[in-house]
Amino acid sequence: MAGEIAWASEAGGLAYLVLTAARARTFARTGRLVSKVEAAEAELDGSADEPVVRAALAQQLGDAASIDATAARRYAAEVARDLRAGTPGR
């Protein structure tokens, strides 16, 4: 999953990166592979990362929401680091 995040950071847009990280975190927590929408919804927990996840979810659902590039990359890096450490994060 951490490799998928790395690939998404190079090949995909910001929404794709954030949603891939959300899916990876959800999989690490639950063992279930879920949709991008379901994974993003699971990340809407009031954390500091919620705004970037909310913006990526909005884009996935067809809204032209703006995604903060720095926040998106930071979120994805945090999830990848947690996965490599064997901890799913929050």
Side-chain angles (χ1 to χ4, degrees), residues 31-47:
R32 292 182 329 117
L33 189 56
V34 298
S35 72
K36 292 175 185 171
V37 170
E38 187 176 348
E41 288 172 344
E43 290 288 278
L44 300 180
D45 59 4
S47 72

PDB file of all heavy atoms in Angstrom, residues 31-47:
ATOM      1  N   GLY A  31      -8.470  -4.236   7.135  1.00  0.00           N
ATOM      2  CA  GLY A  31      -8.239  -5.399   6.289  1.00  0.00           C
ATOM      3  C   GLY A  31      -9.192  -5.474   5.109  1.00  0.00           C
ATOM      4  O   GLY A  31      -9.208  -6.451   4.374  1.00  0.00           O
ATOM      5  N   ARG A  32      -9.990  -4.418   4.923  1.00  0.00           N
ATOM      6  CA  ARG A  32     -10.956  -4.383   3.817  1.00  0.00           C
ATOM      7  C   ARG A  32     -10.520  -3.350   2.789  1.00  0.00           C
ATOM      8  O   ARG A  32     -10.105  -2.255   3.148  1.00  0.00           O
ATOM      9  CB  ARG A  32     -12.345  -3.979   4.325  1.00  0.00           C
ATOM     10  CG  ARG A  32     -13.012  -4.973   5.207  1.00  0.00           C
ATOM     11  CD  ARG A  32     -14.417  -4.571   5.675  1.00  0.00           C
ATOM     12  NE  ARG A  32     -14.616  -3.143   5.827  1.00  0.00           N
ATOM     13  CZ  ARG A  32     -15.489  -2.406   5.118  1.00  0.00           C
ATOM     14  NH1 ARG A  32     -16.259  -2.961   4.206  1.00  0.00           N
ATOM     15  NH2 ARG A  32     -15.615  -1.121   5.337  1.00  0.00           N
ATOM     16  N   LEU A  33     -10.630  -3.700   1.533  1.00  0.00           N
ATOM     17  CA  LEU A  33     -10.386  -2.750   0.451  1.00  0.00           C
ATOM     18  C   LEU A  33     -11.726  -2.103   0.133  1.00  0.00           C
ATOM     19  O   LEU A  33     -12.678  -2.789  -0.247  1.00  0.00           O
ATOM     20  CB  LEU A  33      -9.823  -3.463  -0.773  1.00  0.00           C
ATOM     21  CG  LEU A  33      -9.323  -2.579  -1.893  1.00  0.00           C
ATOM     22  CD1 LEU A  33      -8.259  -1.606  -1.393  1.00  0.00           C
ATOM     23  CD2 LEU A  33      -8.765  -3.420  -3.017  1.00  0.00           C
ATOM     24  N   VAL A  34     -11.800  -0.786   0.333  1.00  0.00           N
ATOM     25  CA  VAL A  34     -13.059  -0.064   0.164  1.00  0.00           C
ATOM     26  C   VAL A  34     -12.929   0.952  -0.967  1.00  0.00           C
ATOM     27  O   VAL A  34     -11.834   1.224  -1.457  1.00  0.00           O
ATOM     28  CB  VAL A  34     -13.473   0.642   1.478  1.00  0.00           C
ATOM     29  CG1 VAL A  34     -13.697  -0.386   2.592  1.00  0.00           C
ATOM     30  CG2 VAL A  34     -12.444   1.674   1.894  1.00  0.00           C
ATOM     31  N   SER A  35     -14.044   1.528  -1.334  1.00  0.00           N
ATOM     32  CA  SER A  35     -14.031   2.552  -2.378  1.00  0.00           C
ATOM     33  C   SER A  35     -13.311   3.804  -1.885  1.00  0.00           C
ATOM     34  O   SER A  35     -13.142   4.010  -0.670  1.00  0.00           O
ATOM     35  CB  SER A  35     -15.461   2.917  -2.774  1.00  0.00           C
ATOM     36  OG  SER A  35     -16.076   3.667  -1.723  1.00  0.00           O
ATOM     37  N   LYS A  36     -12.931   4.646  -2.816  1.00  0.00           N
ATOM     38  CA  LYS A  36     -12.300   5.917  -2.452  1.00  0.00           C
ATOM     39  C   LYS A  36     -13.239   6.762  -1.613  1.00  0.00           C
ATOM     40  O   LYS A  36     -12.823   7.397  -0.643  1.00  0.00           O
ATOM     41  CB  LYS A  36     -11.875   6.675  -3.706  1.00  0.00           C
ATOM     42  CG  LYS A  36     -10.756   6.014  -4.462  1.00  0.00           C
ATOM     43  CD  LYS A  36     -10.476   6.747  -5.757  1.00  0.00           C
ATOM     44  CE  LYS A  36      -9.429   6.000  -6.547  1.00  0.00           C
ATOM     45  NZ  LYS A  36      -9.283   6.540  -7.890  1.00  0.00           N
ATOM     46  N   VAL A  37     -14.502   6.767  -1.983  1.00  0.00           N
ATOM     47  CA  VAL A  37     -15.489   7.563  -1.244  1.00  0.00           C
ATOM     48  C   VAL A  37     -15.618   7.051   0.189  1.00  0.00           C
ATOM     49  O   VAL A  37     -15.580   7.826   1.148  1.00  0.00           O
ATOM     50  CB  VAL A  37     -16.850   7.566  -1.976  1.00  0.00           C
ATOM     51  CG1 VAL A  37     -17.935   8.178  -1.108  1.00  0.00           C
ATOM     52  CG2 VAL A  37     -16.727   8.311  -3.313  1.00  0.00           C
ATOM     53  N   GLU A  38     -15.774   5.742   0.350  1.00  0.00           N
ATOM     54  CA  GLU A  38     -15.913   5.171   1.693  1.00  0.00           C
ATOM     55  C   GLU A  38     -14.664   5.433   2.535  1.00  0.00           C
ATOM     56  O   GLU A  38     -14.768   5.768   3.718  1.00  0.00           O
ATOM     57  CB  GLU A  38     -16.178   3.670   1.604  1.00  0.00           C
ATOM     58  CG  GLU A  38     -16.492   3.036   2.938  1.00  0.00           C
ATOM     59  CD  GLU A  38     -16.846   1.562   2.832  1.00  0.00           C
ATOM     60  OE1 GLU A  38     -17.069   1.061   1.722  1.00  0.00           O
ATOM     61  OE2 GLU A  38     -16.891   0.914   3.892  1.00  0.00           O
ATOM     62  N   ALA A  39     -13.498   5.306   1.935  1.00  0.00           N
ATOM     63  CA  ALA A  39     -12.259   5.552   2.670  1.00  0.00           C
ATOM     64  C   ALA A  39     -12.162   7.014   3.106  1.00  0.00           C
ATOM     65  O   ALA A  39     -11.796   7.306   4.244  1.00  0.00           O
ATOM     66  CB  ALA A  39     -11.056   5.182   1.810  1.00  0.00           C
ATOM     67  N   ALA A  40     -12.504   7.922   2.207  1.00  0.00           N
ATOM     68  CA  ALA A  40     -12.458   9.340   2.560  1.00  0.00           C
ATOM     69  C   ALA A  40     -13.442   9.647   3.677  1.00  0.00           C
ATOM     70  O   ALA A  40     -13.115  10.369   4.628  1.00  0.00           O
ATOM     71  CB  ALA A  40     -12.741  10.204   1.340  1.00  0.00           C
ATOM     72  N   GLU A  41     -14.629   9.093   3.589  1.00  0.00           N
ATOM     73  CA  GLU A  41     -15.637   9.330   4.625  1.00  0.00           C
ATOM     74  C   GLU A  41     -15.149   8.826   5.982  1.00  0.00           C
ATOM     75  O   GLU A  41     -15.420   9.439   7.014  1.00  0.00           O
ATOM     76  CB  GLU A  41     -16.964   8.693   4.241  1.00  0.00           C
ATOM     77  CG  GLU A  41     -17.642   9.439   3.110  1.00  0.00           C
ATOM     78  CD  GLU A  41     -18.873   8.751   2.552  1.00  0.00           C
ATOM     79  OE1 GLU A  41     -19.072   7.536   2.820  1.00  0.00           O
ATOM     80  OE2 GLU A  41     -19.635   9.434   1.840  1.00  0.00           O
ATOM     81  N   ALA A  42     -14.402   7.729   5.986  1.00  0.00           N
ATOM     82  CA  ALA A  42     -13.862   7.196   7.238  1.00  0.00           C
ATOM     83  C   ALA A  42     -12.807   8.122   7.838  1.00  0.00           C
ATOM     84  O   ALA A  42     -12.567   8.094   9.043  1.00  0.00           O
ATOM     85  CB  ALA A  42     -13.263   5.809   7.002  1.00  0.00           C
ATOM     86  N   GLU A  43     -12.182   8.940   6.996  1.00  0.00           N
ATOM     87  CA  GLU A  43     -11.145   9.860   7.461  1.00  0.00           C
ATOM     88  C   GLU A  43     -11.717  11.193   7.943  1.00  0.00           C
ATOM     89  O   GLU A  43     -10.980  12.028   8.455  1.00  0.00           O
ATOM     90  CB  GLU A  43     -10.131  10.133   6.343  1.00  0.00           C
ATOM     91  CG  GLU A  43      -9.258   8.944   6.029  1.00  0.00           C
ATOM     92  CD  GLU A  43      -8.236   8.665   7.115  1.00  0.00           C
ATOM     93  OE1 GLU A  43      -7.182   9.316   7.131  1.00  0.00           O
ATOM     94  OE2 GLU A  43      -8.519   7.793   7.959  1.00  0.00           O
ATOM     95  N   LEU A  44     -12.992  11.409   7.791  1.00  0.00           N
ATOM     96  CA  LEU A  44     -13.612  12.660   8.225  1.00  0.00           C
ATOM     97  C   LEU A  44     -13.908  12.564   9.719  1.00  0.00           C
ATOM     98  O   LEU A  44     -15.023  12.319  10.146  1.00  0.00           O
ATOM     99  CB  LEU A  44     -14.886  12.935   7.420  1.00  0.00           C
ATOM    100  CG  LEU A  44     -14.694  13.063   5.915  1.00  0.00           C
ATOM    101  CD1 LEU A  44     -16.031  13.324   5.231  1.00  0.00           C
ATOM    102  CD2 LEU A  44     -13.692  14.147   5.573  1.00  0.00           C
ATOM    103  N   ASP A  45     -12.856  12.754  10.494  1.00  0.00           N
ATOM    104  CA  ASP A  45     -12.936  12.516  11.930  1.00  0.00           C
ATOM    105  C   ASP A  45     -12.558  13.732  12.769  1.00  0.00           C
ATOM    106  O   ASP A  45     -12.274  13.608  13.949  1.00  0.00           O
ATOM    107  CB  ASP A  45     -12.047  11.338  12.299  1.00  0.00           C
ATOM    108  CG  ASP A  45     -10.589  11.573  11.924  1.00  0.00           C
ATOM    109  OD1 ASP A  45     -10.255  12.672  11.440  1.00  0.00           O
ATOM    110  OD2 ASP A  45      -9.779  10.652  12.115  1.00  0.00           O
ATOM    111  N   GLY A  46     -12.532  14.896  12.156  1.00  0.00           N
ATOM    112  CA  GLY A  46     -12.205  16.099  12.896  1.00  0.00           C
ATOM    113  C   GLY A  46     -10.716  16.335  13.070  1.00  0.00           C
ATOM    114  O   GLY A  46     -10.312  17.263  13.759  1.00  0.00           O
ATOM    115  N   SER A  47      -9.895  15.529  12.442  1.00  0.00           N
ATOM    116  CA  SER A  47      -8.445  15.687  12.565  1.00  0.00           C
ATOM    117  C   SER A  47      -7.963  16.866  11.725  1.00  0.00           C
ATOM    118  O   SER A  47      -8.710  17.431  10.921  1.00  0.00           O
ATOM    119  CB  SER A  47      -7.735  14.415  12.100  1.00  0.00           C
ATOM    120  OG  SER A  47      -7.833  14.298  10.695  1.00  0.00           O
TER     121      SER A  47
END
